[in-house]
Amino acid sequence: MTQGAHAVDLLAWMLGDPVRVSAYSSHLAHQGIEVEDTIAATVEFAGGAIGTIGATTAAYPGMSVRLQLNGDAGTAVVDNEVLQFLHTRDAEPPDHPDKDNQAGRAAVPAGPSSVEAAHAAQYVDFIDAAEQGRPPAITTTDGRRVLALILAAYESARHNGRPVDIS
C-alpha cells in the first residue's frame, strides 16, 4: 500500500474499470513492518484487458517502477516515469533508427517532467476547475476505483489468491 498505489492508479487510468483480482502477498524481507513487502496480482478489466501487478520493497538494492502495456496494435514501456519504448503498428519508423530509438517508435507528446511538476499541474487543474465550475481532471471517483482494486487484492491475498469481484 506504499508507493505501489500510484502505479495501480496509472494501470486503471489506462485500462479502465477493474472487475476482478487475484492476489498473493507476503512479508519476505521486512518482518518488522505492518504491511506486506511483496504483492503479486492479476487483474481483469471491464473491457477485457488483463493486467499484472508486482510490487515489492524487498528487492535489493531497489527497483524502478515499470509499466508495460502490450496490445495487438502496439507496446509501450515506461520505466521510472520515462517512456523507454513505444512501438505501434501504424507508426512511421524513424529515418535513422539506432539502439536508443527502436524502429517504429512513435512520437510522444510532452508532459510534466517530474513528479513535482505533475503534482503542481494537478493542483492548478483543481483550482481552475473550482473557479470554472467544472470537474477536475482527477476526481474522487478515480481514487475510489483504485482503492477498491487495492482492497480487493488484499481480500484475495487473505484467501490464498481466491478471485475477488471488485464492486
Side-chain angles (χ1 to χ4, degrees):
M1 190 65 173
T2 57
Q3 296 301 314
H6 299 294
V8 172
D9 180 40
L10 182 57
L11 187 67
W13 177 77
M14 294 177 76
L15 298 179
D17 290 328
V19 295
R20 179 178 283 206
V21 61
S22 297
Y24 296 90
S25 67
S26 187
H27 292 88
L28 299 176
H30 305 291
Q31 300 300 321
I33 62 174
E34 295 178 0
V35 298
E36 78 292 337
D37 62 21
T38 302
I39 190 165
T42 302
V43 184
E44 298 174 44
F45 291 87
I50 297 173
T52 58
I53 299 167
T56 186
T57 58
Y60 179 82
M63 296 296 296
S64 61
V65 174
R66 179 182 171 100
L67 177 82
Q68 183 168 326
L69 183 65
N70 303 304
D72 62 350
T75 296
V77 177
V78 177
D79 197 335
N80 263 353
E81 301 174 15
V82 175
L83 182 66
Q84 297 292 331
F85 180 85
L86 177 61
H87 190 120
T88 63
R89 178 176 35 203
D90 300 329
E92 290 291 323
D95 292 334
H96 303 288
D98 58 44
K99 66 179 175 63
D100 295 325
N101 189 5
Q102 302 292 327
R105 188 173 181 160
V108 180
S113 59
S114 68
V115 171
E116 293 81 11
H119 286 163
Q122 285 181 344
Y123 297 143
V124 168
D125 176 70
F126 181 82
I127 292 167
D128 288 348
E131 291 176 349
Q132 298 168 12
R134 64 169 174 81
I138 307 300
T139 67
T140 58
T141 300
D142 299 311
R144 286 191 309 268
R145 175 176 57 185
V146 172
L147 182 58
L149 170 53
I150 290 169
L151 292 174
Y154 278 141
E155 179 70 17
S156 175
R158 278 192 297 276
H159 293 94
N160 294 320
R162 176 182 55 87
V164 172
D165 291 334
I166 301 167
S167 54

